[in-house]
Amino acid sequence: MADYMVKAITSDGAIRVVAVDTTELCNKAQKIHNLSATASAALGRALTAVTIMGGMLKSSDDAVTLQLNGGGPIGRVVAVSNGRAQVKGYVGNPLIELPLNEKGKLDVGGAIGKDGMLSIIRDLGLKEPYIGQVPLVNGEVAEDLTYYYANSEQLPTAVALGVLVDVDYSIRAAGGFVLQLLPGAMDEDIDRVEKAVASISSVTEMLDNGKKPEDIVSQLLEGYEIEYFDNELPVYQCDCSRERTDKALISIGEKELTKLIEEDGKAEITCHFCDNVYNYTKEQLEELLKSAR
Ligand code: ZN
């Protein structure tokens, strides 16, 4: 069953919801990075969040990056999506495993830490990307993102993100939603939505029980007339290539490149996102050096 994302708005324009099933893409991330259960939950929540944010981009050429840097043992968590729902990510320490937290859940907050920042980088094809940053609330990702929306975008937002890891480390269910009250929302909308968000069961439980992203939306927006946009099919996909790696090597400059040739006589570049390895011989590096001059 392929992942998919639904986007909905109430007919009165007051509330929008994006809900997504990311089970397959989280499974792919687990396999590529050989993630521990805790790391799967942490990266899976970040991937789910960035998938939804990617779904809110206006142009398919735009991209959004979510970074969590909380000083915890997992290191940096990075997730990226473009406007075509192609998603990728990595964590600093994919093997980190922690005891379950006091709620009996995978300790994502403990792994990420809360001594640091959540950053959202939006590349909208302009000269400079737009960067928004807020301090982390608890490193659990959903609460951190809620705080980001309230502070950086002044939009009251509810965020739920979940990853259910099976005993064999495969992902049983993963997904989430972002619900936003748009400027047209009234006090009664706020009340209704708060109740709906509070009463909804966990997203992973719903998906694990065979429910679909549409079911999440209709439960959240019960009683509203809902309009759906086209579904999107998010996938874990890296866009690295030999050509890009060439460019990255050229960009380190003539001096560094010369040093690399003289000291190592070769280079091995590993992509953080997909673990592809690009090997360079001395001759190939010398070829690149010509372009760096
Ligand atoms: Zn790659």
Side-chain angles (χ1 to χ4, degrees):
M1 184 65 207
D3 293 338
Y4 73 102
M5 172 159 59
V6 299
K7 300 190 261 186
I9 190 162
T10 54
S11 300
D12 58 6
I15 307 160
R16 74 166 163 180
V17 180
V18 179
V20 66
D21 179 343
T22 52
T23 307
E24 283 317 306
L25 76 88
C26 288
N27 255 315
K28 190 156 178 196
Q30 195 280 327
K31 288 199 185 84
I32 288 172
H33 299 300
N34 192 23
L35 299 168
S36 69
T38 308
S40 266
L43 183 58
R45 287 185 200 174
L47 288 169
T48 302
V50 90
T51 302
I52 294 171
M53 297 183 102
M56 291 174 166
L57 291 169
K58 291 208 168 64
S59 158
S60 59
D61 293 326
D62 295 346
V64 58
T65 302
L66 165 72
Q67 275 192 39
L68 299 142
N69 221 331
I74 201 169
R76 203 153 61 122
V77 178
V78 179
V80 185
S81 176
N82 62 26
R84 292 182 295 280
Q86 293 166 335
V87 183
K88 59 183 182 176
Y90 68 88
V91 299
N93 180 3
L95 304 178
I96 177 72
E97 202 61 279
L98 295 175
L100 299 179
N101 65 19
E102 69 275 10
K103 289 179 189 159
K105 301 224 160 125
L106 293 168
D107 192 3
V108 171
I112 291 176
K114 54 183 179 182
D115 187 16
M117 307 298 275
L118 171 144
S119 313
I120 301 292
I121 303 142
R122 282 198 182 81
D123 187 349
L124 306 177
L126 307 169
K127 254 189 203 150
E128 297 288 332
Y130 167 81
I131 302 173
Q133 263 193 339
V134 290
L136 290 169
V137 176
N138 59 7
E140 295 280 343
V141 191
E143 288 86 344
D144 303 301
L145 197 58
T146 304
Y147 184 66
Y148 167 82
Y149 276 117
N151 274 266
S152 292
E153 309 203 344
Q154 275 89 46
L155 281 177
T157 304
V159 181
L161 306 165
V163 179
L164 188 59
V165 184
D166 218 332
V167 284
D168 64 355
Y169 293 96
S170 67
I171 310 303
R172 262 180 77 142
F177 69 79
V178 169
L179 178 151
Q180 292 189 309
L181 290 158
L182 301 175
M186 310 288 212
D187 285 347
E188 60 172 273
D189 294 317
I190 299 172
D191 288 347
R192 271 168 82 170
V193 160
E194 273 180 355
K195 283 191 190 116
V197 169
S199 70
I200 198 164
S201 57
S202 94
V203 172
T204 44
E205 204 176 295
M206 288 182 78
L207 295 172
D208 197 34
N209 288 330
K211 295 272 197 283
K212 304 269 174 280
E214 290 91 332
D215 298 316
I216 298 171
V217 173
S218 47
Q219 206 171 320
L220 287 168
L221 298 179
E222 201 184 339
Y224 285 96
E225 200 176 310
I226 308 167
E227 288 171 20
Y228 283 96
F229 299 89
D230 287 343
N231 283 356
E232 287 193 49
L233 305 174
V235 286
Y236 192 105
Q237 192 171 312
C238 190
D239 51 356
C240 68
S241 64
R242 183 93 191 171
E243 202 184 341
R244 281 195 171 200
T245 314
D246 286 356
K247 277 189 192 148
L249 278 167
I250 292 166
S251 74
I252 67 173
E254 190 182 343
K255 204 175 132 202
E256 286 298 314
L257 210 46
T258 306
K259 205 171 127 195
L260 187 65
I261 292 167
E262 283 170 2
E263 288 178 7
D264 298 344
K266 62 184 167 65
E268 186 186 289
I269 313 284
T270 306
C271 175
H272 282 312
F273 294 100
C274 69
D275 279 355
N276 251 354
V277 179
Y278 297 92
N279 281 299
Y280 288 84
T281 62
K282 192 175 184 190
E283 291 69 32
Q284 288 169 326
L285 290 173
E286 280 164 349
E287 210 44 51
L288 293 178
L289 181 60
K290 286 180 199 161
S291 312
R293 281 194 177 118

